[in-house]
Amino acid sequence: MVARAEGAQLAFTYQSEKLKSRVDEAANEFGSNIVLPLDVADDAQIAQVFTDLGQHWDGFDILVHS
């Protein structure tokens, strides 16, 4: 990933516990230890992920949802 190669710090989210292990593996491959639950259909989880990210960073520059 170009962003990581250029020094970006990455965080990853997963929709359900069923997917968590796959996302953990991907995060590990990209040198990230930030893996958070996030179902974008749940407003409370959206708010919580921003709170949790605030414990790691002062802010962030880009969000990719895919």
Tab-separated table of all heavy atoms in Angstrom:
chain	number	residue	atom	x	y	z
A	1	MET	N	0.850	-1.171	0.000
A	1	MET	CA	0.000	0.000	0.000
A	1	MET	C	0.893	1.231	0.000
A	1	MET	O	1.780	1.376	0.842
A	1	MET	CB	-0.929	-0.016	1.210
A	1	MET	CG	-1.730	1.253	1.356
A	1	MET	SD	-2.869	1.244	2.747
A	1	MET	CE	-4.229	0.408	1.999
A	2	VAL	N	0.663	2.112	-0.947
A	2	VAL	CA	1.483	3.296	-1.118
A	2	VAL	C	1.441	4.195	0.119
A	2	VAL	O	2.471	4.704	0.557
A	2	VAL	CB	1.049	4.087	-2.373
A	2	VAL	CG1	1.804	5.392	-2.486
A	2	VAL	CG2	1.236	3.242	-3.616
A	3	ALA	N	0.279	4.389	0.700
A	3	ALA	CA	0.167	5.274	1.869
A	3	ALA	C	1.083	4.800	2.993
A	3	ALA	O	1.794	5.601	3.606
A	3	ALA	CB	-1.276	5.338	2.347
A	4	ARG	N	1.077	3.530	3.271
A	4	ARG	CA	1.933	2.972	4.339
A	4	ARG	C	3.397	3.139	3.965
A	4	ARG	O	4.228	3.503	4.795
A	4	ARG	CB	1.582	1.502	4.582
A	4	ARG	CG	2.453	0.828	5.600
A	4	ARG	CD	2.229	1.406	6.987
A	4	ARG	NE	3.089	0.698	7.926
A	4	ARG	CZ	3.729	1.277	8.916
A	4	ARG	NH1	3.611	2.552	9.136
A	4	ARG	NH2	4.488	0.574	9.710
A	5	ALA	N	3.734	2.887	2.718
A	5	ALA	CA	5.118	3.019	2.269
A	5	ALA	C	5.616	4.451	2.415
A	5	ALA	O	6.808	4.685	2.612
A	5	ALA	CB	5.241	2.561	0.819
A	6	GLU	N	4.706	5.411	2.342
A	6	GLU	CA	5.071	6.824	2.482
A	6	GLU	C	5.006	7.310	3.928
A	6	GLU	O	5.129	8.491	4.204
A	6	GLU	CB	4.164	7.685	1.593
A	6	GLU	CG	4.367	7.453	0.118
A	6	GLU	CD	5.772	7.824	-0.348
A	6	GLU	OE1	6.343	8.811	0.154
A	6	GLU	OE2	6.305	7.104	-1.223
A	7	GLY	N	4.768	6.387	4.886
A	7	GLY	CA	4.802	6.742	6.298
A	7	GLY	C	3.468	6.933	6.973
A	7	GLY	O	3.415	7.311	8.136
A	8	ALA	N	2.385	6.663	6.269
A	8	ALA	CA	1.061	6.815	6.885
A	8	ALA	C	0.870	5.776	7.988
A	8	ALA	O	1.320	4.645	7.874
A	8	ALA	CB	-0.033	6.651	5.837
A	9	GLN	N	0.187	6.185	9.041
A	9	GLN	CA	-0.236	5.258	10.075
A	9	GLN	C	-1.653	4.826	9.733
A	9	GLN	O	-2.491	5.656	9.392
A	9	GLN	CB	-0.215	5.935	11.436
A	9	GLN	CG	1.158	6.334	11.885
A	9	GLN	CD	1.104	7.070	13.219
A	9	GLN	OE1	0.065	7.541	13.652
A	9	GLN	NE2	2.251	7.151	13.863
A	10	LEU	N	-1.917	3.533	9.826
A	10	LEU	CA	-3.199	2.998	9.398
A	10	LEU	C	-3.978	2.418	10.568
A	10	LEU	O	-3.396	1.899	11.515
A	10	LEU	CB	-2.986	1.899	8.355
A	10	LEU	CG	-2.154	2.278	7.128
A	10	LEU	CD1	-1.952	1.056	6.248
A	10	LEU	CD2	-2.816	3.392	6.353
A	11	ALA	N	-5.295	2.517	10.460
A	11	ALA	CA	-6.204	1.864	11.396
A	11	ALA	C	-7.177	1.051	10.551
A	11	ALA	O	-7.494	1.412	9.417
A	11	ALA	CB	-6.962	2.888	12.231
A	12	PHE	N	-7.654	-0.038	11.109
A	12	PHE	CA	-8.555	-0.932	10.399
A	12	PHE	C	-9.808	-1.167	11.229
A	12	PHE	O	-9.757	-1.135	12.456
A	12	PHE	CB	-7.863	-2.277	10.136
A	12	PHE	CG	-6.711	-2.174	9.180
A	12	PHE	CD1	-5.469	-1.729	9.609
A	12	PHE	CD2	-6.864	-2.514	7.852
A	12	PHE	CE1	-4.403	-1.621	8.732
A	12	PHE	CE2	-5.804	-2.406	6.960
A	12	PHE	CZ	-4.565	-1.959	7.409
A	13	THR	N	-10.911	-1.399	10.552
A	13	THR	CA	-12.164	-1.712	11.238
A	13	THR	C	-12.745	-3.000	10.667
A	13	THR	O	-12.421	-3.402	9.558
A	13	THR	CB	-13.201	-0.580	11.085
A	13	THR	OG1	-13.513	-0.413	9.694
A	13	THR	CG2	-12.694	0.724	11.676
A	14	TYR	N	-13.593	-3.617	11.463
A	14	TYR	CA	-14.274	-4.832	11.020
A	14	TYR	C	-15.743	-4.723	11.384
A	14	TYR	O	-16.114	-4.114	12.374
A	14	TYR	CB	-13.644	-6.085	11.646
A	14	TYR	CG	-13.642	-6.084	13.149
A	14	TYR	CD1	-14.687	-6.666	13.870
A	14	TYR	CD2	-12.618	-5.481	13.858
A	14	TYR	CE1	-14.688	-6.655	15.256
A	14	TYR	CE2	-12.603	-5.464	15.242
A	14	TYR	CZ	-13.640	-6.050	15.929
A	14	TYR	OH	-13.650	-6.032	17.304
A	15	GLN	N	-16.583	-5.325	10.550
A	15	GLN	CA	-18.029	-5.221	10.733
A	15	GLN	C	-18.549	-6.141	11.820
A	15	GLN	O	-19.449	-5.782	12.562
A	15	GLN	CB	-18.744	-5.511	9.420
A	15	GLN	CG	-20.249	-5.365	9.508
A	15	GLN	CD	-20.921	-5.670	8.192
A	15	GLN	OE1	-20.390	-6.374	7.352
A	15	GLN	NE2	-22.118	-5.151	8.019
A	16	SER	N	-18.007	-7.345	11.907
A	16	SER	CA	-18.509	-8.319	12.883
A	16	SER	C	-17.352	-9.184	13.379
A	16	SER	O	-16.301	-9.259	12.743
A	16	SER	CB	-19.580	-9.201	12.254
A	16	SER	OG	-19.014	-10.032	11.256
A	17	GLU	N	-17.573	-9.848	14.500
A	17	GLU	CA	-16.544	-10.726	15.071
A	17	GLU	C	-16.112	-11.799	14.071
A	17	GLU	O	-14.963	-12.231	14.087
A	17	GLU	CB	-17.053	-11.373	16.356
A	17	GLU	CG	-17.120	-10.429	17.524
A	17	GLU	CD	-15.764	-9.850	17.920
A	17	GLU	OE1	-14.757	-10.597	17.953
A	17	GLU	OE2	-15.713	-8.639	18.184
A	18	LYS	N	-17.018	-12.197	13.200
A	18	LYS	CA	-16.702	-13.205	12.185
A	18	LYS	C	-15.555	-12.751	11.280
A	18	LYS	O	-14.763	-13.556	10.812
A	18	LYS	CB	-17.957	-13.490	11.357
A	18	LYS	CG	-17.794	-14.527	10.286
A	18	LYS	CD	-19.103	-14.757	9.556
A	18	LYS	CE	-18.936	-15.776	8.456
A	18	LYS	NZ	-20.181	-16.020	7.739
A	19	LEU	N	-15.444	-11.448	11.044
A	19	LEU	CA	-14.425	-10.908	10.152
A	19	LEU	C	-13.172	-10.429	10.876
A	19	LEU	O	-12.166	-10.122	10.243
A	19	LEU	CB	-15.019	-9.750	9.350
A	19	LEU	CG	-16.213	-10.107	8.471
A	19	LEU	CD1	-16.823	-8.851	7.869
A	19	LEU	CD2	-15.795	-11.078	7.389
A	20	LYS	N	-13.217	-10.338	12.189
A	20	LYS	CA	-12.125	-9.739	12.958
A	20	LYS	C	-10.776	-10.393	12.691
A	20	LYS	O	-9.779	-9.696	12.489
A	20	LYS	CB	-12.426	-9.755	14.446
A	20	LYS	CG	-11.361	-9.022	15.265
A	20	LYS	CD	-11.712	-9.029	16.738
A	20	LYS	CE	-10.759	-8.208	17.578
A	20	LYS	NZ	-9.350	-8.454	17.387
A	21	SER	N	-10.696	-11.697	12.666
A	21	SER	CA	-9.400	-12.359	12.488
A	21	SER	C	-8.783	-12.018	11.134
A	21	SER	O	-7.562	-11.815	11.040
A	21	SER	CB	-9.520	-13.873	12.652
A	21	SER	OG	-10.342	-14.434	11.654
A	22	ARG	N	-9.588	-11.906	10.096
A	22	ARG	CA	-9.069	-11.528	8.770
A	22	ARG	C	-8.541	-10.100	8.778
A	22	ARG	O	-7.506	-9.810	8.186
A	22	ARG	CB	-10.153	-11.695	7.713
A	22	ARG	CG	-10.477	-13.158	7.461
A	22	ARG	CD	-11.628	-13.415	6.544
A	22	ARG	NE	-11.730	-12.539	5.395
A	22	ARG	CZ	-12.800	-12.475	4.611
A	22	ARG	NH1	-13.831	-13.244	4.862
A	22	ARG	NH2	-12.833	-11.655	3.593
A	23	VAL	N	-9.253	-9.221	9.454
A	23	VAL	CA	-8.817	-7.829	9.522
A	23	VAL	C	-7.567	-7.718	10.390
A	23	VAL	O	-6.650	-6.947	10.071
A	23	VAL	CB	-9.959	-6.920	10.015
A	23	VAL	CG1	-9.486	-5.493	10.195
A	23	VAL	CG2	-11.129	-6.974	9.035
A	24	ASP	N	-7.500	-8.477	11.474
A	24	ASP	CA	-6.286	-8.506	12.302
A	24	ASP	C	-5.072	-8.879	11.457
A	24	ASP	O	-4.006	-8.266	11.580
A	24	ASP	CB	-6.424	-9.509	13.449
A	24	ASP	CG	-7.255	-9.003	14.608
A	24	ASP	OD1	-7.361	-7.773	14.799
A	24	ASP	OD2	-7.801	-9.847	15.347
A	25	GLU	N	-5.220	-9.887	10.610
A	25	GLU	CA	-4.119	-10.316	9.741
A	25	GLU	C	-3.703	-9.204	8.779
A	25	GLU	O	-2.511	-8.943	8.602
A	25	GLU	CB	-4.514	-11.557	8.949
A	25	GLU	CG	-4.618	-12.813	9.779
A	25	GLU	CD	-5.074	-14.004	8.960
A	25	GLU	OE1	-4.886	-14.008	7.720
A	25	GLU	OE2	-5.637	-14.936	9.560
A	26	ALA	N	-4.681	-8.545	8.171
A	26	ALA	CA	-4.372	-7.459	7.246
A	26	ALA	C	-3.676	-6.312	7.969
A	26	ALA	O	-2.688	-5.763	7.474
A	26	ALA	CB	-5.645	-6.968	6.565
A	27	ALA	N	-4.177	-5.955	9.138
A	27	ALA	CA	-3.560	-4.873	9.912
A	27	ALA	C	-2.122	-5.219	10.250
A	27	ALA	O	-1.220	-4.374	10.129
A	27	ALA	CB	-4.369	-4.619	11.181
A	28	ASN	N	-1.890	-6.444	10.644
A	28	ASN	CA	-0.539	-6.891	10.978
A	28	ASN	C	0.393	-6.771	9.776
A	28	ASN	O	1.536	-6.338	9.900
A	28	ASN	CB	-0.575	-8.323	11.503
A	28	ASN	CG	0.766	-8.758	12.033
A	28	ASN	OD1	1.382	-8.071	12.838
A	28	ASN	ND2	1.214	-9.913	11.585
A	29	GLU	N	-0.097	-7.153	8.605
A	29	GLU	CA	0.719	-7.062	7.384
A	29	GLU	C	1.141	-5.625	7.091
A	29	GLU	O	2.200	-5.395	6.510
A	29	GLU	CB	-0.059	-7.617	6.189
A	29	GLU	CG	-0.193	-9.112	6.181
A	29	GLU	CD	-0.976	-9.624	4.991
A	29	GLU	OE1	-0.970	-8.950	3.924
A	29	GLU	OE2	-1.613	-10.680	5.125
A	30	PHE	N	0.303	-4.661	7.490
A	30	PHE	CA	0.599	-3.257	7.232
A	30	PHE	C	1.163	-2.546	8.455
A	30	PHE	O	1.244	-1.316	8.495
A	30	PHE	CB	-0.648	-2.534	6.718
A	30	PHE	CG	-1.015	-2.929	5.321
A	30	PHE	CD1	-2.044	-3.825	5.089
A	30	PHE	CD2	-0.312	-2.434	4.234
A	30	PHE	CE1	-2.382	-4.207	3.803
A	30	PHE	CE2	-0.637	-2.808	2.949
A	30	PHE	CZ	-1.672	-3.697	2.727
A	31	GLY	N	1.554	-3.316	9.479
A	31	GLY	CA	2.210	-2.746	10.637
A	31	GLY	C	1.309	-1.950	11.559
A	31	GLY	O	1.777	-1.057	12.263
A	32	SER	N	0.032	-2.255	11.583
A	32	SER	CA	-0.910	-1.524	12.432
A	32	SER	C	-1.395	-2.406	13.575
A	32	SER	O	-1.662	-3.592	13.391
A	32	SER	CB	-2.118	-1.063	11.619
A	32	SER	OG	-3.053	-0.408	12.460
A	33	ASN	N	-1.518	-1.802	14.753
A	33	ASN	CA	-2.112	-2.514	15.874
A	33	ASN	C	-3.457	-1.895	16.248
A	33	ASN	O	-3.988	-2.175	17.309
A	33	ASN	CB	-1.169	-2.527	17.084
A	33	ASN	CG	-0.891	-1.132	17.600
A	33	ASN	OD1	-1.272	-0.142	17.003
A	33	ASN	ND2	-0.218	-1.052	18.729
A	34	ILE	N	-3.999	-1.069	15.354
A	34	ILE	CA	-5.295	-0.434	15.596
A	34	ILE	C	-6.349	-1.156	14.766
A	34	ILE	O	-6.421	-1.012	13.547
A	34	ILE	CB	-5.277	1.068	15.237
A	34	ILE	CG1	-4.155	1.789	15.972
A	34	ILE	CG2	-6.628	1.697	15.563
A	34	ILE	CD1	-3.925	3.218	15.511
A	35	VAL	N	-7.154	-1.961	15.442
A	35	VAL	CA	-8.239	-2.715	14.809
A	35	VAL	C	-9.471	-2.516	15.680
A	35	VAL	O	-9.474	-2.902	16.844
A	35	VAL	CB	-7.888	-4.210	14.677
A	35	VAL	CG1	-9.036	-4.970	14.040
A	35	VAL	CG2	-6.607	-4.400	13.867
A	36	LEU	N	-10.498	-1.903	15.108
A	36	LEU	CA	-11.673	-1.506	15.880
A	36	LEU	C	-12.960	-2.030	15.248
A	36	LEU	O	-13.064	-2.105	14.023
A	36	LEU	CB	-11.751	0.032	15.935
A	36	LEU	CG	-10.520	0.751	16.477
A	36	LEU	CD1	-10.610	2.240	16.199
A	36	LEU	CD2	-10.371	0.472	17.952
A	37	PRO	N	-13.946	-2.342	16.072
A	37	PRO	CA	-15.245	-2.755	15.518
A	37	PRO	C	-15.972	-1.551	14.925
A	37	PRO	O	-15.948	-0.460	15.500
A	37	PRO	CB	-15.987	-3.305	16.735
A	37	PRO	CG	-15.366	-2.642	17.905
A	37	PRO	CD	-13.940	-2.372	17.537
A	38	LEU	N	-16.587	-1.767	13.766
A	38	LEU	CA	-17.362	-0.687	13.146
A	38	LEU	C	-18.344	-1.246	12.139
A	38	LEU	O	-17.970	-1.670	11.048
A	38	LEU	CB	-16.449	0.327	12.452
A	38	LEU	CG	-17.177	1.446	11.703
A	38	LEU	CD1	-18.064	2.259	12.629
A	38	LEU	CD2	-16.195	2.333	10.970
A	39	ASP	N	-19.602	-1.208	12.501
A	39	ASP	CA	-20.685	-1.502	11.567
A	39	ASP	C	-21.279	-0.141	11.221
A	39	ASP	O	-21.882	0.520	12.071
A	39	ASP	CB	-21.726	-2.404	12.214
A	39	ASP	CG	-22.864	-2.765	11.275
A	39	ASP	OD1	-23.043	-2.058	10.253
A	39	ASP	OD2	-23.576	-3.727	11.568
A	40	VAL	N	-21.082	0.314	9.988
A	40	VAL	CA	-21.507	1.665	9.613
A	40	VAL	C	-23.022	1.841	9.622
A	40	VAL	O	-23.507	2.967	9.485
A	40	VAL	CB	-20.911	2.118	8.261
A	40	VAL	CG1	-19.405	2.185	8.336
A	40	VAL	CG2	-21.363	1.222	7.126
A	41	ALA	N	-23.757	0.773	9.802
A	41	ALA	CA	-25.209	0.889	9.936
A	41	ALA	C	-25.615	1.254	11.363
A	41	ALA	O	-26.786	1.491	11.629
A	41	ALA	CB	-25.877	-0.425	9.527
A	42	ASP	N	-24.643	1.310	12.265
A	42	ASP	CA	-24.897	1.592	13.682
A	42	ASP	C	-24.248	2.924	14.068
A	42	ASP	O	-23.031	3.022	14.190
A	42	ASP	CB	-24.315	0.444	14.516
A	42	ASP	CG	-24.567	0.574	15.996
A	42	ASP	OD1	-24.814	1.695	16.482
A	42	ASP	OD2	-24.495	-0.459	16.688
A	43	ASP	N	-25.069	3.955	14.252
A	43	ASP	CA	-24.546	5.290	14.563
A	43	ASP	C	-23.693	5.313	15.826
A	43	ASP	O	-22.699	6.045	15.898
A	43	ASP	CB	-25.688	6.304	14.700
A	43	ASP	CG	-26.362	6.617	13.374
A	43	ASP	OD1	-25.762	6.337	12.308
A	43	ASP	OD2	-27.489	7.147	13.396
A	44	ALA	N	-24.031	4.504	16.806
A	44	ALA	CA	-23.256	4.463	18.045
A	44	ALA	C	-21.847	3.919	17.787
A	44	ALA	O	-20.872	4.417	18.356
A	44	ALA	CB	-23.965	3.620	19.093
A	45	GLN	N	-21.734	2.934	16.917
A	45	GLN	CA	-20.411	2.399	16.593
A	45	GLN	C	-19.588	3.405	15.798
A	45	GLN	O	-18.368	3.492	15.969
A	45	GLN	CB	-20.520	1.087	15.826
A	45	GLN	CG	-20.870	-0.085	16.702
A	45	GLN	CD	-20.720	-1.408	15.972
A	45	GLN	OE1	-19.948	-1.557	15.027
A	45	GLN	NE2	-21.472	-2.403	16.418
A	46	ILE	N	-20.230	4.173	14.950
A	46	ILE	CA	-19.520	5.219	14.209
A	46	ILE	C	-18.942	6.235	15.184
A	46	ILE	O	-17.763	6.588	15.109
A	46	ILE	CB	-20.444	5.899	13.180
A	46	ILE	CG1	-20.847	4.906	12.092
A	46	ILE	CG2	-19.754	7.131	12.574
A	46	ILE	CD1	-21.946	5.403	11.172
A	47	ALA	N	-19.746	6.701	16.102
A	47	ALA	CA	-19.274	7.667	17.103
A	47	ALA	C	-18.155	7.068	17.937
A	47	ALA	O	-17.146	7.739	18.214
A	47	ALA	CB	-20.436	8.103	17.987
A	48	GLN	N	-18.293	5.802	18.323
A	48	GLN	CA	-17.287	5.158	19.168
A	48	GLN	C	-15.954	5.011	18.450
A	48	GLN	O	-14.899	5.188	19.051
A	48	GLN	CB	-17.779	3.799	19.655
A	48	GLN	CG	-16.843	3.147	20.655
A	48	GLN	CD	-16.694	3.970	21.928
A	48	GLN	OE1	-17.687	4.368	22.522
A	48	GLN	NE2	-15.463	4.216	22.337
A	49	VAL	N	-15.979	4.699	17.167
A	49	VAL	CA	-14.711	4.524	16.456
A	49	VAL	C	-13.946	5.844	16.391
A	49	VAL	O	-12.721	5.863	16.521
A	49	VAL	CB	-14.907	3.873	15.069
A	49	VAL	CG1	-15.280	4.878	13.996
A	49	VAL	CG2	-13.671	3.109	14.654
A	50	PHE	N	-14.648	6.965	16.256
A	50	PHE	CA	-13.959	8.260	16.268
A	50	PHE	C	-13.385	8.553	17.652
A	50	PHE	O	-12.281	9.073	17.781
A	50	PHE	CB	-14.888	9.373	15.801
A	50	PHE	CG	-15.049	9.402	14.306
A	50	PHE	CD1	-16.135	8.810	13.700
A	50	PHE	CD2	-14.093	10.006	13.507
A	50	PHE	CE1	-16.285	8.823	12.317
A	50	PHE	CE2	-14.213	10.027	12.127
A	50	PHE	CZ	-15.313	9.432	11.528
A	51	THR	N	-14.107	8.199	18.694
A	51	THR	CA	-13.599	8.351	20.063
A	51	THR	C	-12.355	7.491	20.247
A	51	THR	O	-11.333	7.949	20.775
A	51	THR	CB	-14.677	7.960	21.091
A	51	THR	OG1	-15.784	8.844	20.936
A	51	THR	CG2	-14.146	8.034	22.509
A	52	ASP	N	-12.424	6.250	19.816
A	52	ASP	CA	-11.288	5.334	19.959
A	52	ASP	C	-10.078	5.803	19.159
A	52	ASP	O	-8.940	5.738	19.643
A	52	ASP	CB	-11.677	3.919	19.530
A	52	ASP	CG	-12.696	3.272	20.453
A	52	ASP	OD1	-12.900	3.777	21.586
A	52	ASP	OD2	-13.315	2.270	20.040
A	53	LEU	N	-10.307	6.285	17.952
A	53	LEU	CA	-9.190	6.796	17.155
A	53	LEU	C	-8.539	8.006	17.819
A	53	LEU	O	-7.330	8.206	17.721
A	53	LEU	CB	-9.648	7.152	15.740
A	53	LEU	CG	-9.938	5.966	14.836
A	53	LEU	CD1	-10.556	6.447	13.522
A	53	LEU	CD2	-8.682	5.143	14.580
A	54	GLY	N	-9.336	8.805	18.518
A	54	GLY	CA	-8.812	9.957	19.240
A	54	GLY	C	-7.844	9.572	20.340
A	54	GLY	O	-7.033	10.392	20.778
A	55	GLN	N	-7.893	8.326	20.802
A	55	GLN	CA	-6.939	7.850	21.797
A	55	GLN	C	-5.585	7.524	21.173
A	55	GLN	O	-4.587	7.398	21.872
A	55	GLN	CB	-7.494	6.619	22.512
A	55	GLN	CG	-8.730	6.920	23.317
A	55	GLN	CD	-9.346	5.671	23.919
A	55	GLN	OE1	-8.812	4.571	23.809
A	55	GLN	NE2	-10.483	5.842	24.564
A	56	HIS	N	-5.555	7.395	19.851
A	56	HIS	CA	-4.322	7.072	19.134
A	56	HIS	C	-3.739	8.283	18.415
A	56	HIS	O	-2.521	8.412	18.318
A	56	HIS	CB	-4.575	5.967	18.102
A	56	HIS	CG	-5.002	4.670	18.709
A	56	HIS	ND1	-4.104	3.756	19.217
A	56	HIS	CD2	-6.233	4.135	18.898
A	56	HIS	CE1	-4.766	2.712	19.688
A	56	HIS	NE2	-6.058	2.919	19.505
A	57	TRP	N	-4.592	9.129	17.880
A	57	TRP	CA	-4.151	10.237	17.033
A	57	TRP	C	-4.873	11.520	17.409
A	57	TRP	O	-5.987	11.506	17.927
A	57	TRP	CB	-4.472	9.954	15.562
A	57	TRP	CG	-3.918	8.677	15.011
A	57	TRP	CD1	-2.740	8.077	15.334
A	57	TRP	CD2	-4.521	7.856	14.011
A	57	TRP	NE1	-2.573	6.943	14.600
A	57	TRP	CE2	-3.648	6.776	13.785
A	57	TRP	CE3	-5.702	7.922	13.296
A	57	TRP	CZ2	-3.923	5.778	12.849
A	57	TRP	CZ3	-5.979	6.927	12.380
A	57	TRP	CH2	-5.091	5.874	12.160
A	58	ASP	N	-4.261	12.640	17.051
A	58	ASP	CA	-4.898	13.953	17.247
A	58	ASP	C	-5.989	14.202	16.208
A	58	ASP	O	-6.859	15.031	16.387
A	58	ASP	CB	-3.869	15.080	17.128
A	58	ASP	CG	-2.851	15.041	18.246
A	58	ASP	OD1	-3.131	14.434	19.291
A	58	ASP	OD2	-1.762	15.604	18.065
A	59	GLY	N	-5.916	13.521	15.113
A	59	GLY	CA	-6.864	13.672	14.010
A	59	GLY	C	-6.416	12.730	12.895
A	59	GLY	O	-5.493	11.954	13.074
A	60	PHE	N	-7.078	12.806	11.775
A	60	PHE	CA	-6.621	11.996	10.640
A	60	PHE	C	-6.916	12.722	9.355
A	60	PHE	O	-7.723	13.658	9.291
A	60	PHE	CB	-7.199	10.580	10.668
A	60	PHE	CG	-8.695	10.491	10.554
A	60	PHE	CD1	-9.290	10.331	9.324
A	60	PHE	CD2	-9.479	10.548	11.680
A	60	PHE	CE1	-10.659	10.245	9.222
A	60	PHE	CE2	-10.859	10.449	11.595
A	60	PHE	CZ	-11.453	10.301	10.357
A	61	ASP	N	-6.249	12.299	8.290
A	61	ASP	CA	-6.307	12.996	7.017
A	61	ASP	C	-7.237	12.355	5.999
A	61	ASP	O	-7.732	13.051	5.127
A	61	ASP	CB	-4.904	13.092	6.405
A	61	ASP	CG	-3.965	13.896	7.286
A	61	ASP	OD1	-4.375	14.958	7.770
A	61	ASP	OD2	-2.825	13.446	7.495
A	62	ILE	N	-7.454	11.078	6.089
A	62	ILE	CA	-8.272	10.418	5.085
A	62	ILE	C	-8.984	9.215	5.684
A	62	ILE	O	-8.455	8.546	6.564
A	62	ILE	CB	-7.418	9.993	3.859
A	62	ILE	CG1	-8.308	9.530	2.708
A	62	ILE	CG2	-6.409	8.951	4.239
A	62	ILE	CD1	-7.573	9.391	1.399
A	63	LEU	N	-10.168	8.958	5.187
A	63	LEU	CA	-10.956	7.795	5.581
A	63	LEU	C	-11.363	7.073	4.312
A	63	LEU	O	-11.879	7.705	3.376
A	63	LEU	CB	-12.211	8.245	6.342
A	63	LEU	CG	-13.249	7.179	6.632
A	63	LEU	CD1	-12.748	6.268	7.757
A	63	LEU	CD2	-14.570	7.805	7.008
A	64	VAL	N	-11.110	5.790	4.258
A	64	VAL	CA	-11.506	4.978	3.118
A	64	VAL	C	-12.476	3.924	3.613
A	64	VAL	O	-12.153	3.144	4.507
A	64	VAL	CB	-10.278	4.291	2.451
A	64	VAL	CG1	-10.724	3.397	1.311
A	64	VAL	CG2	-9.272	5.327	1.992
A	65	HIS	N	-13.670	3.913	3.047
A	65	HIS	CA	-14.671	2.903	3.373
A	65	HIS	C	-14.856	2.034	2.136
A	65	HIS	O	-15.241	2.531	1.080
A	65	HIS	CB	-16.002	3.573	3.766
A	65	HIS	CG	-17.107	2.597	3.973
A	65	HIS	ND1	-17.173	1.804	5.094
A	65	HIS	CD2	-18.169	2.283	3.211
A	65	HIS	CE1	-18.252	1.039	5.009
A	65	HIS	NE2	-18.869	1.321	3.873
A	66	SER	N	-14.519	0.773	2.283
A	66	SER	CA	-14.670	-0.107	1.109
A	66	SER	C	-15.079	-1.493	1.527
A	66	SER	O	-15.033	-1.848	2.663
A	66	SER	CB	-13.365	-0.177	0.324
A	66	SER	OG	-12.333	-0.735	1.087
